Amino acid sequence: MATSTFPKKPPSPTNAYVVAHVDPTASTQAYLPEIFKGLGVAMKHFFKNTKEMVRGERPDPVLESIAQGVTTISYPEQKRPYPERFRGLHRLTQRDDGSPRCVACLCCSTACPAQCIFIEAGEYPEGDPRRGYERHPVKFVIDELRCIFCGYCVEACPCDAIRMDTGLHAVPYDSREQFIYRKDLLLAAAGRDGSHETANPRHEPGDASHPGVTRQHMTH
């Protein structure tokens, strides 16, 4: 009879231990003593944490997250600080007169991989120095539910008209319609510094620094 080439391995040691059987008593079957013990522990922490909140001694939920006491963030009264490059909700930057810097070139909607941006372009009225030179968005809509917050729209915009520097994230709403951000809402949003404009200079038609190149006055 041939012997096995690979000998059988010994059984692995077990980490189980025997628990002694305890006969149930009236107090353990009623659960009342344990319930009162649990309520006592809960009330102890409740009054301790309430006292710390009243006295202003509550640990900082961001800097002292491993400290004793309540370290949860009470949103929206308290908010966790986001990094400077955090991609928050969108906003449209404004010119000095409050109009959007967007020229409706559709670069952002073209670069968007989620196809969540819709722009309807229009011409400026007669007599406006920007007519024939650039267009403006009649409609600018972003579906925040479809957005994947990749930042491609910000990178593609040649006018620095769209940004994601609000420092805000989408809050829970009651309906899908509330996640549809239109032009008026995007223009009302401000950056972290509270500004609606941008630090990047832009030479507008009519400004002394404008090069004077328009569709009607080309150099070639």
Side-chain angles (χ1 to χ4, degrees), residues 33-121:
E34 301 303 322
I35 291 177
F36 288 129
K37 288 180 182 179
L39 290 175
V41 173
M43 296 306 295
K44 173 186 174 183
H45 287 288
F46 170 77
F47 288 114
K48 178 179 179 294
N49 296 329
T50 303
K51 181 186 69 174
E52 291 180 350
M53 293 177 62
V54 172
R55 293 184 176 181
E57 301 173 352
R58 177 180 174 182
D60 188 285
V62 177
L63 303 178
E64 301 174 301
S65 58
I66 59 176
Q68 295 294 328
V70 178
T71 55
T72 56
I73 296 178
S74 300
Y75 184 87
E77 290 79 10
Q78 291 181 326
K79 298 180 181 179
R80 183 179 296 276
Y82 293 122
E84 289 295 329
R85 300 183 64 182
F86 169 75
R87 300 190 190 109
L89 291 176
H90 305 77
R91 73 180 178 102
L92 287 177
T93 57
Q94 302 178 9
R95 294 187 171 98
D96 295 336
D97 57 359
S99 61
R101 288 170 59 100
C102 176
V103 296
C105 64
L106 309 184
C107 284
C108 58
S109 60
T110 303
C112 178
Q115 296 296 299
C116 66
I117 302 177
F118 170 77
I119 302 175
E120 180 181 329

Side-chain angles (χ1 to χ4, degrees), residues 122-168:
E123 295 287 345
Y124 283 97
E126 293 287 347
D128 193 296
R130 291 170 291 189
R131 180 176 177 83
Y133 173 71
E134 66 183 31
R135 298 183 298 175
H136 69 94
V138 178
K139 294 182 180 180
F140 198 112
V141 183
I142 299 180
D143 187 347
E144 296 291 348
L145 283 181
R146 298 185 61 181
C147 176
I148 59 176
F149 296 91
C150 61
Y152 284 4
C153 55
V154 180
E155 298 294 334
C157 180
C159 303
D160 194 31
I162 184 171
R163 284 193 171 190
M164 302 175 70
D165 59 352
T166 57
L168 303 174

